[in-house]
Amino acid sequence: MTPVTPASVLATTVGSRCPEGAADVEFATRVDAFTDRHRDGLLAADAWESAGPPVRELLRAVGEAGLLRDAWADRGGDRATALWRAAALHRAFARVGNGAPGAALLTHLEVATRLLGVLPTTPAGLVPGALAGSSTSALAATEPDGGSDLTALRTTVGAGSAGGLTVTGTKWFISNAPYADHLLVLADDRDGRTGRRGPALLLVPAGPGVEVTTLDGLGHTGLTGAVALDAAPVAAVLAVGGHGLLVLMRHWIHERVMLAVRMAELAASVLDHAVADAGRRTTFGVPLITNQHVRFTLARLDADVQEVRAMAGQSLRLLAAGACPGGWAAAGKHRAAAVLAEVADEALQLSGGDGYRRGHPAERALRDATGLALAGGTTELMLQQIDRG
Amino acid sequence: MRTAALTVAARTGWFTPAEDELRARLTEHLEATVAPAVDAWERRGTIPLREILTGLAARGWLGMRFGVDQGGGGGTAWEHVVLAECLGALLFDSVGMGVTVHNDMVAPMLAEAGGPEAVERFLRPALAGRCLLGHAVSEPGAGADVAAVATTATPEPGGYRLTGAKRWIVAGLTADAFAVLARLPEARGAFGHVLLMVPADAPGVRVEPADATLGLRTAGVAGQLRLDGVFVPDGHRLGGHGLGLVTQLRQFEPERILSACRAIAMADTLLLRTAERLRERRTFGVPIADRQQPAAQLARLRAEVEAVRQLAYTGIDRWVTGGAVNTVSAAVKLRSSRLTRAVARTCLHLHGAEGQLSTHPVNRAFRDTRLLSISTGSDEMMLTALARLRG
């Protein structure tokens, strides 16, 4: 018989061009060891259904394990390696505790810490503290009357005693705010007190003049807060008036890619659970999965999940190269959110009454997915950005 | 929609500068030789597939990934991706399918499972554009269920005696030779088939045109290939005796990824053309492109196109580096087919009354792309495969 694959065909193959290079086995092993160790404790799903999930304890543990530090590149460091490690971290965390602890971790590393890391006026010690897991910050941009439209800012910059600045206003749906030591507050500098007029980004310690209440939302249980700022003292101007929004617009490309990475893996995890469940459960005398409709539904979702994973991989490559267009990040974020919502909804349906139970992986994912279609840029805003390219 | 940045982003890291250059030259060639003639060919009802293939062959663009010793270019599947995408961008799948069947469905089986005689007799001339290859698998009683073919190859000294009927053969009316899947008389199951190369002018071969179809109207689709006691020598067999089905199925997997690349390129082009059209067309005093609803519709589809394209590239990479592609192949075939159909449907609608004209490219694309979910493995077969691979 003629060999099916003669040497002449094999000889034409070259090295992989996949975004994901050689697997960082050492780092992945450490992450696995961490999640295994804390699976039934810090990372247990139940702990993250309460109004006070162990966010600070988790960040401290992850920090002490060195996982944040090693997924971080300082200026001039190996950016690509660090990014892929961060992605590995978010993927692993999407698969434990119904993915809930991963939300807090992503906010910590990819939102506040990442922003502080790129801003030149960040006080020394803040980023090292965040990477050690001993402190955390939260980005406070969204306001009750201004979500996607951040130009409609009502929070304002004022003058404090001894020549300092203050901020006054209300923020809400601020991820990790209940646990934050510092807030990165977007505020309108109407008088140019930061040097220029316009939206400024200010570092505000969680202390006097800052009141945080945990919001009771559909998903992200215990993880988001409302922030009342009453002449809260500003510790540092991170971006002067007019530059605050620009800084955020650049930052959001990064955040959206990382969100897409996490959502793709969360969808994969929920789907894996649904497949296993459908193989286990029996209806009308046969396993649920023997029904063609069930098999086809799961197969269709499997294709969707593969698609958003592939998209996330390319997005990471572009991000590492500093060449990810805003429209691309928006496409990846929107698509991953859409697939996650679809997978969660179908998985809940296939699990029947059990899926409707609070704390079921699909139930939790469905609740979180509704917020993920809003957070980090709403679906509608993403579509506009895709349109712009 | 301004998508130049997205196109660059989509290709970053996947293609070499040489492949970018190939894309530019191929695009230029197809724009000059195919695009201007489409309307005339459509009116006439046929495409000059032989000339098209000869034109590609003359520039070294057929069989780019096959070994130089077989008449190929010694390159990689990535070059075939470039060709597939350039064909898709034509929005004229009679040409797209015709070239794909020849270059990426039958030629690979010859290159990978053909003996020296089959290579000399069929592959080498095919890669020079002189021997047009057709693929005869489907039968009245065997579509998606390939193993159920009734066409029978009875072994006899020195070869096989082939009898049966095949149907739905793209470019069958112009093909010089067909790859025919047949069952052995006594054998059953997966190891009871042979794959045979049959010249169109062999005694006992009769090709009949098909009834009119929804799309692929100029693809020279043969309705029937009748095989009446056709003798096929052993040297024209692809793969081992009894391994015809295995050889065939093995070819399907990578081919589906390449076909997905072609489909996605069609979707990509449709979205670009439609966005352009919406910028020009004004209603109630403003360009339609300025309205949020159609812009959002296109953006939603654009996000899917970019994501599915990344899945296709991932699959190609896995194939090129020797990894397992069964899951990704089924997934990307399913997604690209359904998505490209959805894109075509939306774009047809957004073209308004103009899109209803049979001569309009979007109308043709709508009709042509409907076949994507049926040919080379229906959506349902892909779902079945994915479900099986999922355990």
Side-chain angles (χ1 to χ4, degrees):
Chain A
M1 174 197 161
T2 313
V4 172
T5 310
S8 65
V9 173
L10 284 178
T12 63
T13 60
V14 293
S16 172
R17 301 179 186 181
C18 243
E20 238 153 316
D24 193 335
V25 178
E26 192 266 345
F27 188 75
T29 308
R30 283 169 56 203
V31 174
D32 285 348
F34 182 89
T35 51
D36 282 348
R37 187 168 151 220
H38 295 285
R39 192 174 298 272
D40 300 321
L42 273 180
L43 296 171
D46 287 352
W48 296 78
E49 288 297 345
S50 72
V55 173
R56 292 195 67 104
E57 294 83 344
L58 173 70
L59 296 180
R60 182 173 290 279
V62 181
E64 281 172 0
L67 297 176
L68 300 171
R69 181 66 249 178
D70 292 344
W72 184 269
D74 294 314
R75 281 207 184 81
D78 184 351
R79 199 172 134 81
T81 300
L83 267 183
W84 283 105
R85 284 180 169 182
L89 201 54
H90 299 311
R91 284 170 175 163
F93 272 73
R95 289 185 166 273
V96 284
N98 284 348
L105 182 73
L106 188 139
T107 303
H108 172 73
L109 185 62
E110 308 303 347
V111 185
T113 308
R114 199 63 68 169
L115 262 169
L116 290 170
V118 297
L119 295 170
T121 53
T122 297
L126 226 51
V127 171
L131 295 177
S134 57
S135 71
T136 190
S137 307
L139 170 65
T142 304
E143 299 187 359
D145 292 315
S148 297
D149 181 9
L150 288 171
T151 58
L153 275 179
R154 292 194 181 187
T155 300
T156 53
V157 179
S161 56
L165 299 176
T166 62
V167 283
T168 299
T170 308
K171 300 286 181 180
W172 76 343
F173 287 100
I174 306 307
S175 299
N176 281 6
Y179 313 95
D181 304 292
H182 289 88
L183 297 166
L184 283 65
V185 178
L186 187 71
D188 192 9
D189 185 1
R190 290 173 186 169
D191 306 313
R193 294 177 201 275
T194 59
R196 287 178 186 220
R197 290 166 201 268
L201 194 64
L202 306 162
L203 187 70
V204 176
V210 177
E211 199 187 313
V212 181
T213 42
T214 303
L215 287 171
D216 181 17
L218 182 62
H220 295 96
T221 311
L223 296 180
T224 64
V227 181
L229 301 156
D230 182 12
V234 171
V237 175
L238 298 171
V240 298
H243 286 218
L245 266 183
L246 294 177
V247 163
L248 289 184
M249 276 151 72
R250 272 198 297 273
H251 161 74
W252 273 317
I253 291 178
H254 177 95
E255 183 181 335
R256 283 167 191 159
V257 169
M258 287 307 192
L259 277 172
V261 168
R262 183 175 115 74
M263 289 190 284
E265 201 61 26
L266 190 51
S269 171
V270 173
L271 182 61
D272 285 347
H273 184 274
V275 170
D277 201 41
R280 227 176 1 245
R281 284 181 57 218
T282 298
T283 55
F284 302 104
V286 290
L288 188 64
I289 204 163
T290 51
N291 292 286
Q292 192 183 43
H293 172 74
V294 174
R295 294 170 65 78
F296 276 19
T297 300
L298 294 170
R300 171 173 62 81
L301 298 173
D302 184 66
D304 290 345
V305 167
Q306 288 189 47
E307 169 197 324
V308 289
R309 273 177 155 172
M311 181 71 175
Q314 177 74 353
S315 304
L316 282 165
R317 160 147 70 195
L318 293 166
L319 201 58
C324 187
W328 183 276
K333 196 259 169 185
H334 151 63
R335 189 69 197 127
V339 167
L340 173 61
E342 172 79 359
V343 167
D345 194 50
E346 292 282 9
L348 187 149
Q349 181 71 20
L350 292 178
S351 290
D354 188 43
Y356 198 63
R357 175 179 54 80
R358 195 165 165 103
H360 184 277
E363 188 268 351
R364 171 76 198 216
L366 184 62
R367 283 188 286 126
D368 285 354
T370 60
L372 286 165
L374 302 169
T378 61
T379 294
E380 291 71 18
L381 196 66
M382 295 304 94
L383 294 176
Q384 284 187 15
Q385 299 220 347
I386 296 165
D387 186 38
R388 288 179 202 136
Chain B
M1 200 179 306
R2 288 164 282 280
T3 49
L6 296 187
T7 304
V8 172
R11 291 178 189 154
T12 297
W14 294 114
F15 296 94
T16 64
E19 286 152 9
D20 291 341
E21 175 61 22
L22 171 67
R23 186 189 300 276
R25 289 171 58 215
L26 252 168
T27 302
E28 198 182 321
H29 173 75
L30 293 173
E31 284 298 319
T33 59
V34 174
V38 169
D39 288 340
W41 294 344
E42 283 274 284
R43 276 196 300 277
R44 196 177 71 189
T46 56
I47 52 165
L49 186 59
R50 192 175 301 275
E51 282 170 36
I52 294 168
L53 290 173
T54 312
L56 291 171
R59 290 159 182 83
W61 294 336
L62 285 185
M64 290 181 279
R65 73 181 176 91
F66 304 125
V68 176
D69 56 328
Q70 295 179 316
T76 74
W78 287 105
E79 292 162 53
H80 285 231
V81 172
V82 172
L83 175 61
E85 292 186 333
C86 290
L87 290 171
L90 284 173
L91 287 189
F92 187 33
D93 219 29
S94 288
V95 170
M97 260 305 251
V99 175
T100 301
V101 168
H102 177 90
N103 196 48
D104 283 310
M105 291 174 69
V106 183
M109 295 193 294
L110 281 161
E112 287 157 29
E117 195 186 329
V119 167
E120 291 311 314
R121 170 70 179 80
F122 301 105
L123 182 60
R124 204 179 287 281
L127 297 184
R130 290 198 308 273
C131 176
L132 272 59
L133 303 173
H135 201 184
V137 180
S138 293
E139 293 185 8
D145 183 6
V146 175
V149 294
T151 297
T152 305
T154 309
E156 60 177 58
Y160 301 86
R161 190 64 66 180
L162 192 56
T163 297
K166 295 287 177 180
R167 70 170 187 179
W168 304 133
I169 302 146
V170 169
L173 297 180
T174 45
D176 298 309
F178 299 92
V180 176
L181 183 71
R183 64 190 296 272
L184 295 167
E186 301 305 327
R188 303 234 187 295
F191 301 103
H193 299 77
V194 282
L195 196 58
L196 304 172
M197 289 304 298
V198 179
D201 58 4
V205 175
R206 204 166 81 230
V207 181
E208 295 165 5
D211 289 338
T213 49
L214 175 68
L216 289 190
R217 290 183 179 173
T218 54
V221 178
Q224 288 260 37
L225 170 69
R226 292 190 185 280
L227 302 156
D228 187 11
V230 181
F231 178 75
V232 182
D234 282 330
H236 292 183
R237 189 186 67 222
L238 308 182
H241 177 79
L243 295 177
L245 184 63
V246 177
T247 305
Q248 177 57 70
L249 295 181
R250 204 175 292 215
Q251 172 269 322
F252 272 142
E253 285 180 0
E255 177 272 319
R256 281 173 186 146
I257 312 176
L258 280 170
S259 288
C261 291
R262 190 179 86 252
I264 297 160
M266 293 181 86
D268 182 12
T269 309
L270 280 165
L271 289 177
L272 290 174
R273 295 251 185 111
T274 305
E276 212 171 288
R277 157 87 180 154
L278 297 189
R279 276 196 295 276
E280 290 161 3
R281 174 112 169 90
R282 300 171 76 90
T283 54
F284 306 102
V286 294
I288 297 180
D290 289 353
R291 299 195 189 281
Q292 283 189 337
Q293 170 66 15
Q297 269 180 293
L298 294 185
R300 221 176 263 279
L301 292 168
R302 168 58 61 187
E304 290 191 61
V305 164
E306 295 309 345
V308 177
R309 177 150 46 191
Q310 293 308 313
L311 182 60
Y313 291 165
T314 305
I316 294 289
D317 188 78
R318 210 166 290 171
W319 171 34
V320 167
T321 54
V325 296
N326 44 12
T327 310
V328 65
S329 166
V332 81
K333 168 71 168 65
L334 175 74
R335 286 293 295 131
S336 64
S337 301
R338 287 187 162 176
L339 174 60
T340 303
R341 285 167 50 207
V343 167
R345 208 162 48 231
T346 301
C347 292
L348 182 82
H349 178 76
L350 291 174
H351 272 77
E354 187 181 298
Q356 293 298 309
L357 297 172
S358 299
T359 50
H360 197 284
V362 172
N363 187 291
R364 190 176 58 239
F366 172 74
R367 290 182 279 107
D368 286 355
T369 55
R370 187 61 188 85
L371 187 66
L372 293 171
S373 286
I374 297 169
S375 71
T376 65
S378 64
D379 287 357
E380 290 73 18
M381 289 309 298
M382 298 304 99
L383 287 164
T384 303
L386 278 170
R388 190 173 52 239
L389 293 162
R390 260 290 186 166

